[in-house]
Amino acid sequence: MEDRLGKGPSPLWQGSFKSSLSGRSTPKGSPTHRRLNSSRTPRREARSGSGGTQWFRSNRVVYWLILIALWAYLGFYVQSGWAHGHNKEEFLGFSGDPRNKIVDAEQQTRRDLVADDSLVAMNNGTNNTQVYGDRKIDVILAKKGNVVSSTKRRSKRARRNNLRKKRGKLKAKMNIENGGTEGQEQEIPLKNSTYRLLVGPFGSVEDRVLEWSPEKRSGTCDRKGDFARLVWSRRLVLVFHELSMTGAPISMMELATELLSCGATVSAVVLSKKGGLMSELARRRIKVIEDRADLSFKTAMKADLVIAGSAVCATWIDQYIAHFPAGGSQIAWWIMENRREYFDRSKLVLNRVKMLIFLSEMQSNQWLTWCQEENIKLRSQPALVPLAVNDELAFVAGIPCSLNTPAASPAKMLEKRQLLRDAVRKEMGLTDNDMLVISLSSINAGKGQLFLLESAGLVINEDPLETDSEVKKSMNIRQDQSSFAAKHHLRGLLQKSRNLDVSSTELRLFTSVNATNDVSINTHRSKMYDSKVAQEQALKILIGSVGSKSNKIPYVKEILRFLSQHAKLSESVLWTPSTTRVASLYSAADVYVMNSQGLGETFGRVTVEAMAFGLPVLGTDGGGTKEIVEQNVTGLLHPMGRPGTRVLAEHLRFLLKNPSARKQMGMDGRKMVERKYLKRHMYMRFVEVITRCMRSK
């Protein structure tokens, strides 16, 4: 009995294991088989626990269920630690690559704001409710003396580090949440109480009146043209220095749109995403490369041509050539600035790119002069590609373009443009007796808005002007037109006037002024016009662009301070936000002013756009403006700086009193645009540039 009880469990376990796992049966005559028939064996097996082991091993499903339960528990544990910010990046393995640390600011905004506010409130030991970005955020903090757990301390430390990394992205996010406004509006709100009369934008009015919008266009490429044949199936990379609604980014965006419509593959590298064009790029399906370094370099290496759209792109070009030394042979640099500071920041790489492209002859000569001073030898002769009026504006202006259809012919669009003019002027509160003068550009000293308002003040406040001899001594007026030509043209303008009855004495007075090459109008207004001119048109000034990234806060405040001191002038000034929908503003206007200071405007895209809508241009006698505006034909030029203020006032007064003269100038300017500054003219220039770059690669 003792031998059976003592030695029985081992053979029993072995027999059971074989029976259950091996599948082989035990012979009936074996000891194990006899023990299984014993009445005590099952009870002892149950007491010894070997039966439980046998049951467990015979049920594999239970085994896997236990493993799944353990795995689920482990997953919940890890997920809990991840959600509380415990070494999230290290856990995912992202810490080794800095590019993988870029987290969308929109997803992190609330976390960063809570961390930021909690750090501030921790010093006070209070509970605060912060308001940021028009959203309330409750911040619950431990008071002084309370013990903060180590988990909370680690969490706050991680948030603090995350806050430092995402601060720049957070600012960009808040700009987007605030409607794309820039630093200016942080101190000067977009309210009528600040700018007095803030009008527009009028995109919805354009869509309603014209029954068309840029979103409805089907593509503008001339498939049979040389440009389309040249870029078809090519890969190009365009480098934007920023996305503000200013000349350079808008021109690059339209170039990318044209390339896409002509069958090219286009990628955009954006060095600064501040501004309001990101949504417009998305609407036009322009692919933006998120990475400005390695990924953009690899994409550029595979491209047929890289076009950089500003002197500010110098840093990216330098880094790209350092990464890929042969990359300079595929870069065409379209420089759109004309100040020495831009030359200084780009001079180290000017001779390393394939070709430089400038906007005007004046700009090209200036940069070549600077290159000579610095002993910089360029790899090739620079090219000239002036800006042009895009098809959307030409379409609304009634100029034949690729968007015209039988139902939207140029003649039909001229009729709709008049309806648009009436609708927009009505919303602005203008009457037929108001002459609207507009200046659409970023608000800074280089654009001369304050000088324009001073000139308008001289007209509105009826400030007596200086005599001709005094004006001649203080001004250096352009003398590039013969006395006979000026005299003849001005006589023709005045004779075409239908609203004025100018006597021969008055006509001699006008021509005698021009005989001395002075385009100023004589100051004796009371003797110039008879009773028919008693009801003069009122002068109104519209200034844009409120909210532009390039606006300078101190300069804007100076303008507002100046207007607060001149109540009568302030009532005649309107403001409009920054926008790409400017056709309505050109349609509503009567005169355009390009009052750029310093070296003058590099080219002035808005100048040719205004001329396309039949507006005479009053511009400064410098820079690329004098290459566009023909004196006494398409507009009038005045000196830069303070001396030009009174001359500009004379020009405003002359156009105010001579509606037919400004109409004739506008018609001549429109004809010039049709000859030289339409989209097809610009892309003919690009054909030469791309051909030169491709041929010598």
Side-chain angles (χ1 to χ4, degrees), residues 453-497:
L453 292 177
E454 291 179 0
S455 300
L458 296 178
V459 177
I460 293 175
N461 296 322
E462 296 296 328
D463 185 69
L465 301 177
E466 301 175 6
T467 62
D468 290 334
S469 58
E470 293 173 341
V471 171
K472 292 174 189 176
K473 292 178 181 178
S474 60
M475 303 177 196
N476 180 21
I477 299 178
R478 177 180 175 176
Q479 300 181 1
D480 62 341
Q481 197 170 29
S482 66
S483 302
F484 177 78
K487 179 180 183 180
H488 174 76
H489 184 74
L490 191 52
R491 180 187 288 112
L493 290 176
L494 294 177
Q495 287 177 346
K496 291 180 181 179
S497 175

Short mmCIF file of all heavy atoms in Angstrom, two decimals, residues 453-497:
data_model
loop_
_atom_site.label_atom_id
_atom_site.label_comp_id
_atom_site.label_asym_id
_atom_site.label_seq_id
_atom_site.Cartn_x
_atom_site.Cartn_y
_atom_site.Cartn_z
N LEU A 453 -1.52 112.08 -47.92
CA LEU A 453 -2.56 112.72 -47.11
C LEU A 453 -2.27 114.20 -46.92
O LEU A 453 -3.20 115.02 -46.88
CB LEU A 453 -2.69 112.00 -45.77
CG LEU A 453 -3.23 110.57 -45.84
CD1 LEU A 453 -3.23 109.94 -44.45
CD2 LEU A 453 -4.64 110.56 -46.42
N GLU A 454 -1.00 114.55 -46.79
CA GLU A 454 -0.66 115.97 -46.68
C GLU A 454 -1.04 116.71 -47.97
O GLU A 454 -1.56 117.84 -47.92
CB GLU A 454 0.82 116.13 -46.39
CG GLU A 454 1.23 115.67 -45.00
CD GLU A 454 2.72 115.81 -44.75
OE1 GLU A 454 3.43 116.26 -45.69
OE2 GLU A 454 3.18 115.48 -43.65
N SER A 455 -0.79 116.08 -49.11
CA SER A 455 -1.18 116.70 -50.38
C SER A 455 -2.69 116.82 -50.49
O SER A 455 -3.21 117.86 -50.93
CB SER A 455 -0.63 115.88 -51.55
OG SER A 455 0.78 115.79 -51.52
N ALA A 456 -3.40 115.77 -50.09
CA ALA A 456 -4.85 115.83 -50.12
C ALA A 456 -5.38 116.90 -49.19
O ALA A 456 -6.38 117.58 -49.49
CB ALA A 456 -5.43 114.46 -49.75
N GLY A 457 -4.71 117.07 -48.05
CA GLY A 457 -5.12 118.13 -47.12
C GLY A 457 -4.99 119.51 -47.73
O GLY A 457 -5.83 120.39 -47.47
N LEU A 458 -3.96 119.73 -48.55
CA LEU A 458 -3.81 121.03 -49.22
C LEU A 458 -4.96 121.30 -50.17
O LEU A 458 -5.38 122.44 -50.36
CB LEU A 458 -2.48 121.08 -49.98
CG LEU A 458 -1.20 120.99 -49.14
CD1 LEU A 458 0.02 121.00 -50.04
CD2 LEU A 458 -1.14 122.12 -48.12
N VAL A 459 -5.48 120.23 -50.78
CA VAL A 459 -6.59 120.39 -51.71
C VAL A 459 -7.91 120.56 -50.97
O VAL A 459 -8.70 121.46 -51.26
CB VAL A 459 -6.67 119.19 -52.67
CG1 VAL A 459 -7.87 119.31 -53.60
CG2 VAL A 459 -5.39 119.06 -53.47
N ILE A 460 -8.15 119.71 -49.99
CA ILE A 460 -9.43 119.74 -49.28
C ILE A 460 -9.57 120.98 -48.42
O ILE A 460 -10.64 121.60 -48.35
CB ILE A 460 -9.57 118.47 -48.42
CG1 ILE A 460 -9.68 117.24 -49.33
CG2 ILE A 460 -10.77 118.55 -47.49
CD1 ILE A 460 -9.69 115.92 -48.59
N ASN A 461 -8.50 121.39 -47.78
CA ASN A 461 -8.56 122.57 -46.91
C ASN A 461 -8.34 123.87 -47.66
O ASN A 461 -8.23 124.93 -47.04
CB ASN A 461 -7.51 122.44 -45.80
CG ASN A 461 -7.80 121.27 -44.88
OD1 ASN A 461 -8.95 120.98 -44.56
ND2 ASN A 461 -6.74 120.57 -44.46
N GLU A 462 -8.20 123.78 -49.01
CA GLU A 462 -8.01 124.97 -49.84
C GLU A 462 -6.83 125.80 -49.37
O GLU A 462 -6.90 127.02 -49.26
CB GLU A 462 -9.30 125.83 -49.84
CG GLU A 462 -10.48 125.13 -50.47
CD GLU A 462 -10.28 124.86 -51.95
OE1 GLU A 462 -9.58 125.65 -52.60
OE2 GLU A 462 -10.79 123.84 -52.43
N ASP A 463 -5.73 125.11 -49.09
CA ASP A 463 -4.53 125.81 -48.66
C ASP A 463 -3.91 126.54 -49.85
O ASP A 463 -3.68 125.94 -50.90
CB ASP A 463 -3.51 124.82 -48.09
CG ASP A 463 -2.29 125.51 -47.52
OD1 ASP A 463 -2.45 126.17 -46.48
OD2 ASP A 463 -1.22 125.38 -48.11
N PRO A 464 -3.65 127.83 -49.76
CA PRO A 464 -3.06 128.55 -50.89
C PRO A 464 -1.69 128.01 -51.23
O PRO A 464 -0.86 127.78 -50.36
CB PRO A 464 -2.98 130.00 -50.40
CG PRO A 464 -2.97 129.89 -48.92
CD PRO A 464 -3.82 128.71 -48.58
N LEU A 465 -1.46 127.79 -52.53
CA LEU A 465 -0.20 127.23 -52.98
C LEU A 465 0.81 128.32 -53.27
O LEU A 465 0.47 129.48 -53.45
CB LEU A 465 -0.43 126.39 -54.23
CG LEU A 465 -1.40 125.22 -54.05
CD1 LEU A 465 -1.58 124.51 -55.38
CD2 LEU A 465 -0.88 124.26 -53.02
N GLU A 466 2.06 127.92 -53.33
CA GLU A 466 3.12 128.87 -53.59
C GLU A 466 3.08 129.34 -55.03
O GLU A 466 2.46 128.74 -55.90
CB GLU A 466 4.47 128.20 -53.30
CG GLU A 466 4.62 127.70 -51.88
CD GLU A 466 5.91 126.94 -51.70
OE1 GLU A 466 6.72 126.93 -52.66
OE2 GLU A 466 6.12 126.38 -50.63
N THR A 467 3.73 130.44 -55.30
CA THR A 467 3.81 130.93 -56.66
C THR A 467 4.73 130.05 -57.46
O THR A 467 5.52 129.27 -56.92
CB THR A 467 4.35 132.37 -56.68
OG1 THR A 467 5.67 132.36 -56.13
CG2 THR A 467 3.48 133.30 -55.87
N ASP A 468 4.66 130.17 -58.78
CA ASP A 468 5.45 129.31 -59.65
C ASP A 468 6.94 129.47 -59.40
O ASP A 468 7.69 128.50 -59.39
CB ASP A 468 5.14 129.63 -61.12
CG ASP A 468 3.74 129.19 -61.50
OD1 ASP A 468 3.24 128.25 -60.86
OD2 ASP A 468 3.16 129.78 -62.42
N SER A 469 7.41 130.71 -59.21
CA SER A 469 8.83 130.92 -59.01
C SER A 469 9.32 130.26 -57.74
O SER A 469 10.40 129.68 -57.70
CB SER A 469 9.14 132.42 -58.96
OG SER A 469 8.40 133.03 -57.91
N GLU A 470 8.51 130.32 -56.68
CA GLU A 470 8.91 129.68 -55.42
C GLU A 470 8.91 128.16 -55.55
O GLU A 470 9.76 127.49 -54.99
CB GLU A 470 7.96 130.12 -54.31
CG GLU A 470 8.08 131.61 -53.97
CD GLU A 470 7.01 132.04 -52.99
OE1 GLU A 470 6.00 131.31 -52.89
OE2 GLU A 470 7.16 133.08 -52.36
N VAL A 471 7.92 127.63 -56.30
CA VAL A 471 7.85 126.19 -56.49
C VAL A 471 9.08 125.71 -57.26
O VAL A 471 9.68 124.69 -56.94
CB VAL A 471 6.55 125.80 -57.22
CG1 VAL A 471 6.58 124.34 -57.61
CG2 VAL A 471 5.35 126.09 -56.35
N LYS A 472 9.48 126.45 -58.27
CA LYS A 472 10.63 126.05 -59.09
C LYS A 472 11.91 126.00 -58.27
O LYS A 472 12.79 125.17 -58.51
CB LYS A 472 10.80 127.03 -60.25
CG LYS A 472 9.68 126.96 -61.28
CD LYS A 472 9.86 128.06 -62.30
CE LYS A 472 8.63 128.17 -63.20
NZ LYS A 472 8.73 129.28 -64.15
N LYS A 473 12.03 126.91 -57.29
CA LYS A 473 13.25 126.93 -56.49
C LYS A 473 13.34 125.74 -55.54
O LYS A 473 14.44 125.29 -55.23
CB LYS A 473 13.29 128.23 -55.67
CG LYS A 473 13.46 129.48 -56.54
CD LYS A 473 13.46 130.72 -55.66
CE LYS A 473 13.61 131.99 -56.49
NZ LYS A 473 13.56 133.21 -55.66
N SER A 474 12.19 125.25 -55.09
CA SER A 474 12.21 124.19 -54.08
C SER A 474 12.04 122.79 -54.64
O SER A 474 12.16 121.82 -53.92
CB SER A 474 11.09 124.43 -53.05
OG SER A 474 9.84 124.42 -53.70
N MET A 475 11.76 122.68 -55.92
CA MET A 475 11.49 121.37 -56.51
C MET A 475 12.40 121.10 -57.70
O MET A 475 12.75 122.00 -58.43
CB MET A 475 10.03 121.28 -56.97
CG MET A 475 9.01 121.54 -55.90
SD MET A 475 7.37 121.47 -56.58
CE MET A 475 6.46 122.26 -55.28
N ASN A 476 12.71 119.86 -57.86
CA ASN A 476 13.49 119.43 -59.02
C ASN A 476 12.58 118.59 -59.89
O ASN A 476 12.48 117.38 -59.73
CB ASN A 476 14.70 118.60 -58.57
CG ASN A 476 15.54 118.14 -59.74
OD1 ASN A 476 15.46 118.73 -60.81
ND2 ASN A 476 16.31 117.09 -59.55
N ILE A 477 11.87 119.28 -60.78
CA ILE A 477 10.84 118.62 -61.56
C ILE A 477 11.43 118.04 -62.83
O ILE A 477 12.31 118.63 -63.44
CB ILE A 477 9.69 119.61 -61.88
CG1 ILE A 477 9.08 120.11 -60.58
CG2 ILE A 477 8.64 118.97 -62.75
CD1 ILE A 477 8.00 121.13 -60.78
N ARG A 478 10.91 116.90 -63.24
CA ARG A 478 11.42 116.19 -64.40
C ARG A 478 11.37 117.06 -65.65
O ARG A 478 10.39 117.73 -65.89
CB ARG A 478 10.58 114.92 -64.62
CG ARG A 478 10.98 114.15 -65.84
CD ARG A 478 10.11 112.93 -65.96
NE ARG A 478 10.37 112.21 -67.20
CZ ARG A 478 9.80 111.07 -67.52
NH1 ARG A 478 8.95 110.53 -66.71
NH2 ARG A 478 10.08 110.49 -68.65
N GLN A 479 12.48 117.01 -66.44
CA GLN A 479 12.55 117.83 -67.63
C GLN A 479 12.93 116.98 -68.84
O GLN A 479 13.82 117.32 -69.62
CB GLN A 479 13.58 118.94 -67.43
CG GLN A 479 13.25 119.87 -66.27
CD GLN A 479 14.27 120.98 -66.11
OE1 GLN A 479 15.21 121.06 -66.89
NE2 GLN A 479 14.07 121.80 -65.12
N ASP A 480 12.25 115.84 -68.98
CA ASP A 480 12.59 114.94 -70.07
C ASP A 480 11.64 115.06 -71.25
O ASP A 480 11.68 114.24 -72.17
CB ASP A 480 12.56 113.50 -69.56
CG ASP A 480 11.20 113.10 -69.07
OD1 ASP A 480 10.39 113.99 -68.78
OD2 ASP A 480 10.94 111.89 -68.99
N GLN A 481 10.75 116.05 -71.23
CA GLN A 481 9.80 116.22 -72.31
C GLN A 481 9.93 117.62 -72.87
O GLN A 481 10.09 118.59 -72.13
CB GLN A 481 8.38 115.97 -71.79
CG GLN A 481 7.38 115.71 -72.90
CD GLN A 481 6.06 115.25 -72.32
OE1 GLN A 481 5.75 115.63 -71.20
NE2 GLN A 481 5.31 114.48 -73.06
N SER A 482 9.91 117.75 -74.15
CA SER A 482 10.10 119.05 -74.78
C SER A 482 8.94 119.99 -74.46
O SER A 482 7.83 119.55 -74.18
CB SER A 482 10.21 118.89 -76.29
OG SER A 482 8.99 118.43 -76.83
N SER A 483 9.20 121.28 -74.54
CA SER A 483 8.17 122.28 -74.25
C SER A 483 7.04 122.17 -75.26
O SER A 483 5.86 122.25 -74.92
CB SER A 483 8.77 123.68 -74.30
OG SER A 483 9.82 123.80 -73.38
N PHE A 484 7.39 121.92 -76.52
CA PHE A 484 6.36 121.86 -77.55
C PHE A 484 5.45 120.66 -77.34
O PHE A 484 4.24 120.76 -77.47
CB PHE A 484 7.02 121.78 -78.93
CG PHE A 484 6.03 121.66 -80.05
CD1 PHE A 484 5.33 122.76 -80.50
CD2 PHE A 484 5.78 120.41 -80.63
CE1 PHE A 484 4.41 122.63 -81.54
CE2 PHE A 484 4.87 120.29 -81.65
CZ PHE A 484 4.18 121.39 -82.11
N ALA A 485 6.04 119.50 -76.99
CA ALA A 485 5.24 118.30 -76.79
C ALA A 485 4.31 118.45 -75.59
O ALA A 485 3.13 118.09 -75.67
CB ALA A 485 6.15 117.09 -76.59
N ALA A 486 4.82 118.99 -74.50
CA ALA A 486 3.98 119.19 -73.31
C ALA A 486 2.86 120.17 -73.60
O ALA A 486 1.71 119.98 -73.21
CB ALA A 486 4.83 119.70 -72.15
N LYS A 487 3.21 121.22 -74.30
CA LYS A 487 2.23 122.24 -74.62
C LYS A 487 1.13 121.68 -75.52
O LYS A 487 -0.05 121.90 -75.31
CB LYS A 487 2.98 123.37 -75.31
CG LYS A 487 2.13 124.53 -75.77
CD LYS A 487 3.11 125.48 -76.41
CE LYS A 487 2.61 126.72 -76.89
NZ LYS A 487 3.60 127.57 -77.48
N HIS A 488 1.55 120.92 -76.53
CA HIS A 488 0.59 120.38 -77.48
C HIS A 488 -0.34 119.38 -76.81
O HIS A 488 -1.55 119.39 -77.04
CB HIS A 488 1.35 119.71 -78.64
CG HIS A 488 0.45 118.99 -79.60
ND1 HIS A 488 -0.31 119.67 -80.52
CD2 HIS A 488 0.19 117.68 -79.76
CE1 HIS A 488 -1.01 118.80 -81.24
NE2 HIS A 488 -0.72 117.58 -80.79
N HIS A 489 0.22 118.49 -75.98
CA HIS A 489 -0.60 117.46 -75.36
C HIS A 489 -1.58 118.06 -74.35
O HIS A 489 -2.75 117.66 -74.32
CB HIS A 489 0.28 116.43 -74.66
CG HIS A 489 -0.51 115.29 -74.07
ND1 HIS A 489 -1.07 114.31 -74.85
CD2 HIS A 489 -0.85 115.01 -72.79
CE1 HIS A 489 -1.72 113.45 -74.08
NE2 HIS A 489 -1.60 113.85 -72.84
N LEU A 490 -1.13 118.99 -73.53
CA LEU A 490 -2.02 119.58 -72.54
C LEU A 490 -3.13 120.37 -73.21
O LEU A 490 -4.27 120.37 -72.75
CB LEU A 490 -1.23 120.48 -71.59
CG LEU A 490 -1.99 120.96 -70.35
CD1 LEU A 490 -2.61 119.77 -69.62
CD2 LEU A 490 -1.08 121.73 -69.44
N ARG A 491 -2.82 121.03 -74.34
CA ARG A 491 -3.86 121.74 -75.07
C ARG A 491 -4.92 120.76 -75.57
O ARG A 491 -6.12 121.01 -75.51
CB ARG A 491 -3.27 122.51 -76.25
CG ARG A 491 -4.33 123.28 -77.05
CD ARG A 491 -3.75 123.90 -78.30
NE ARG A 491 -2.90 125.03 -78.00
CZ ARG A 491 -1.59 125.05 -78.17
NH1 ARG A 491 -0.97 123.99 -78.65
NH2 ARG A 491 -0.89 126.12 -77.88
N GLY A 492 -4.44 119.58 -76.05
CA GLY A 492 -5.38 118.58 -76.52
C GLY A 492 -6.26 118.06 -75.41
O GLY A 492 -7.46 117.84 -75.62
N LEU A 493 -5.70 117.86 -74.23
CA LEU A 493 -6.51 117.38 -73.11
C LEU A 493 -7.59 118.38 -72.73
O LEU A 493 -8.74 118.01 -72.50
CB LEU A 493 -5.61 117.10 -71.90
CG LEU A 493 -4.66 115.90 -72.00
CD1 LEU A 493 -3.80 115.83 -70.76
CD2 LEU A 493 -5.43 114.61 -72.19
N LEU A 494 -7.21 119.62 -72.68
CA LEU A 494 -8.17 120.64 -72.26
C LEU A 494 -9.25 120.87 -73.31
O LEU A 494 -10.40 121.14 -72.99
CB LEU A 494 -7.44 121.95 -71.96
CG LEU A 494 -6.49 121.89 -70.76
CD1 LEU A 494 -5.76 123.21 -70.59
CD2 LEU A 494 -7.25 121.54 -69.50
N GLN A 495 -8.89 120.74 -74.58
CA GLN A 495 -9.88 120.95 -75.63
C GLN A 495 -10.89 119.82 -75.68
O GLN A 495 -12.00 119.99 -76.17
CB GLN A 495 -9.17 121.06 -76.98
CG GLN A 495 -8.42 122.38 -77.16
CD GLN A 495 -7.66 122.45 -78.47
OE1 GLN A 495 -7.48 121.44 -79.13
NE2 GLN A 495 -7.22 123.65 -78.82
N LYS A 496 -10.51 118.62 -75.17
CA LYS A 496 -11.43 117.49 -75.15
C LYS A 496 -12.40 117.54 -73.98
O LYS A 496 -13.31 116.73 -73.88
CB LYS A 496 -10.64 116.17 -75.08
CG LYS A 496 -9.88 115.86 -76.36
CD LYS A 496 -9.12 114.55 -76.21
CE LYS A 496 -8.32 114.25 -77.47
NZ LYS A 496 -7.54 113.00 -77.35
N SER A 497 -12.17 118.47 -73.08
CA SER A 497 -13.02 118.55 -71.90
C SER A 497 -14.44 118.95 -72.31
O SER A 497 -14.65 119.94 -73.00
CB SER A 497 -12.45 119.56 -70.91
OG SER A 497 -13.32 119.71 -69.82
#
